């Protein structure tokens, strides 16, 4: 089954580049940049990947991202991910990156963006993987910081096609970023947002009505609100679901409780994605495999999930 799932042509629509930083590359970059790490080695770092919630993960994710300093570092990170895409027949990807994770620690805006953009361009030419970058705002930071980031990004507008919203969800509703998204959409960017991962269904309503997003990232807590489910079906709004992430961050205690196949059968446009593959135990194929192992996903269901991901692509 693994090989069959691996060969299935797929798109990945929810993947944070900083979350694809494997421990081996993290240590390589730390050595290259002469950074001291608090972990003795790769194994000890991997042992730290045990999370009770989103925030515990984010603390380690931001700490890990600190080894990314030069354009080459961002290139190597992105290229390693694209090679994974090639190995798993991900023919199209729309990854996120968080500019503020880097500008906040003094890395110039263009350093991260140039490295990532160059790798995506090489991926198109050398690997035949189509892609579009999503610039994602950190929702735990103030609105003004997001506005400043959007302004900083404008000279590089061709390097990304959409804006997103991620980081700590609780207490940071989509409404906080209504003006930022209005500006971004006014500039012609598509919009997506994380909502209903840890946050309540109301955050999903807000993302749709206030931020006017075309896809919801995660969205699994929509199951608590039947009216919302009806709307997602009626408007065929894609959900970029990340099964291994949801169990690693204790959104669900066990994969057997995951609602993705029920949502699929009800007609919600759900897709399968890896979120932060280096931290959550696998890339797209491993996420599909977990659904097979724990929920009895059939090949026919896998084909529909993969087709949904291809249908939900937005990058030009
Ligand atoms: N949720 C919110 N923010 C994130 C995530 C996530 O799963 N991964 C990286 N930033
Ligand atoms: Zn995410």
């Amino acid at each position: 089954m693994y090989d069959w799932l691996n060969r299935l042509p797929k798109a990945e629509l929810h993947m944070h580049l900083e979350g694809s930083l494997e421990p081996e590359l993290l240590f390589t970059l730390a050595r290259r940049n002469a950074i001291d790490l608090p972990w003795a080695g790769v194994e000890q770092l991997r042992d730290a990947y045990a999370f009770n919630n989103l925030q515990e993960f984010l603390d380690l994710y931001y700490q890990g991202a600190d080894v990314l300093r030069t354009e080459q570092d961002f290139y190597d990170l992105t290229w390693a991910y694209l090679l994974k895409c090639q190995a798993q027949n991900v023919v199209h990807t729309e990854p996120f990156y968080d500019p503020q994770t880097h500008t906040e620690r003094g890395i110039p805006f263009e350093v991260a963006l140039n490295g990532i953009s160059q790798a995506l361009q090489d991926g198109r030419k050398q690997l035949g993987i189509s892609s579009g970058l999503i610039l994602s705002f950190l929702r735990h930071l103030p609105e003004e910081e997001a506005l400043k980031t959007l302004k900083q990004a404008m000279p590089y507008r061709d390097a990304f096609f959409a804006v997103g919203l991620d980081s700590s969800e609780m207490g940071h509703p989509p409404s906080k970023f209504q003006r930022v998204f209005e500006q971004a959409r006014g500039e012609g960017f598509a919009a997506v947002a994380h909502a209903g991962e840890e946050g309540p269904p109301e955050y999903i309503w807000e993302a749709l009505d206030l931020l006017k997003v075309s896809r919801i990232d995660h969205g699994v807590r929509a199951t608590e609100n039947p009216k919302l489910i009806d709307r997602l079906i009626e408007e065929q709004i894609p959900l970029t679901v990340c099964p291994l992430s949801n169990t690693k961050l204790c959104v669900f205690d066990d994969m057997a409780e995951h609602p993705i196949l029920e949502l699929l059968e009800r007609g919600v446009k759900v897709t399968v994605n890896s979120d932060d593959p280096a931290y959550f135990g696998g890339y797209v194929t491993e996420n599909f495999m977990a659904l097979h192992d724990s929920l009895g996903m059939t090949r026919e269901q896998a084909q529909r999930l993969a087709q949904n991901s291809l249908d939900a692509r937005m990058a030009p």
Side-chain angles (χ1 to χ4, degrees), residues 30-47:
R31 232 173 290 126
R32 191 198 274 177
N33 294 323
I35 298 164
D36 279 330
L37 294 174
W39 310 281
V42 164
E43 283 317 308
Q44 205 190 32
L45 174 54
R46 251 187 238 286
D47 289 345

Side-chain angles (χ1 to χ4, degrees), residues 1-310:
M1 187 70 173
Y2 185 91
D3 290 340
W4 185 87
L5 290 168
N6 213 38
R7 282 195 301 270
L8 197 59
K10 319 173 255 301
E12 178 150 62
L13 307 175
H14 184 159
M15 205 296 297
H16 305 261
L17 283 166
E18 295 89 342
S20 69
L21 179 57
E22 291 287 348
E24 289 78 9
L25 182 58
L26 193 154
F27 270 85
T28 300
L29 297 184
R31 232 173 290 126
R32 191 198 274 177
N33 294 323
I35 298 164
D36 279 330
L37 294 174
W39 310 281
V42 164
E43 283 317 308
Q44 205 190 32
L45 174 54
R46 251 187 238 286
D47 289 345
Y49 294 174
F51 314 110
N52 293 299
N53 52 50
L54 174 59
Q55 193 59 50
E56 286 185 10
F57 155 69
L58 289 171
D59 293 343
L60 203 59
Y61 162 91
Y62 295 125
Q63 193 179 356
D66 184 43
V67 302
L68 297 161
R69 301 284 172 96
T70 68
E71 252 184 59
Q72 187 67 46
D73 298 343
F74 286 93
Y75 183 95
D76 293 348
L77 172 76
T78 308
W79 188 250
Y81 166 67
L82 289 168
L83 291 177
K84 271 287 182 187
C85 289
Q86 184 187 39
Q88 298 199 339
N89 208 15
V90 172
V91 298
H92 177 89
T93 181
E94 298 183 4
F96 300 107
Y97 96 106
D98 303 323
Q100 290 158 290
T101 297
H102 315 298
T103 51
E104 281 259 302
R105 56 192 177 86
I107 308 295
F109 183 88
E110 62 275 17
V111 166
L113 190 57
N114 288 345
I116 292 167
S117 299
Q118 187 62 53
L120 292 177
Q121 195 181 319
D122 289 352
R124 288 178 204 115
K125 279 197 285 214
Q126 295 173 35
L127 308 175
I129 297 170
S130 57
S131 57
L133 187 62
I134 306 174
L135 185 147
S136 199
F137 302 110
L138 297 182
R139 69 202 304 159
H140 67 276
L141 297 177
E143 180 200 26
E144 304 84 76
E145 294 296 319
L147 285 166
K148 204 170 93 184
T149 301
L150 181 59
K151 197 168 165 195
Q152 258 178 331
M154 291 321 295
Y156 311 94
R157 57 179 312 139
D158 293 338
F160 61 104
F161 78 97
V163 296
L165 188 64
D166 63 9
S167 192
S168 322
E169 188 178 9
M170 295 301 280
H172 303 285
S175 54
K176 179 177 165 183
F177 296 95
Q178 189 171 354
R179 281 181 288 198
V180 184
F181 273 64
E182 209 165 86
Q183 263 193 36
R185 282 185 290 98
E187 294 286 353
F189 296 108
V192 298
H194 283 52
E197 176 186 18
E198 283 191 344
E202 289 70 36
Y203 285 18
I204 302 174
W205 287 109
E206 279 191 12
L208 293 171
D209 292 335
L210 304 182
L211 305 188
K212 304 194 191 308
V213 299
S214 315
R215 290 196 302 244
I216 295 286
D217 298 313
H218 292 295
V220 288
R221 285 196 60 193
T223 53
E224 296 167 31
N225 187 321
K227 273 208 168 70
L228 178 55
I229 293 289
D230 290 344
R231 177 173 182 188
L232 295 176
I233 295 167
E234 178 156 330
E235 298 181 20
Q236 285 293 289
I237 295 155
L239 301 186
T240 63
V241 178
C242 308
L244 287 174
S245 167
N246 291 154
T247 48
K248 271 296 231 185
L249 301 185
C250 305
V251 172
F252 302 104
D253 293 331
D254 195 289
M255 195 60 83
E257 297 167 22
H258 203 288
I260 184 168
L261 295 185
E262 283 164 47
L263 291 168
L264 177 71
E265 293 311 325
R266 289 203 53 192
V268 181
K269 207 163 185 64
V270 283
T271 64
V272 177
N273 306 270
S274 68
D275 207 3
D276 300 282
Y279 292 87
F280 299 152
Y283 291 77
V284 176
T285 302
E286 285 76 23
N287 275 272
F288 271 97
M289 196 62 198
L291 301 181
H292 170 71
D293 290 342
S294 299
L295 293 170
M297 177 190 68
T298 65
R299 288 187 181 198
E300 184 272 328
Q301 286 175 317
Q303 277 167 333
R304 270 191 283 149
L305 288 163
Q307 188 59 51
N308 281 352
S309 73
L310 296 169

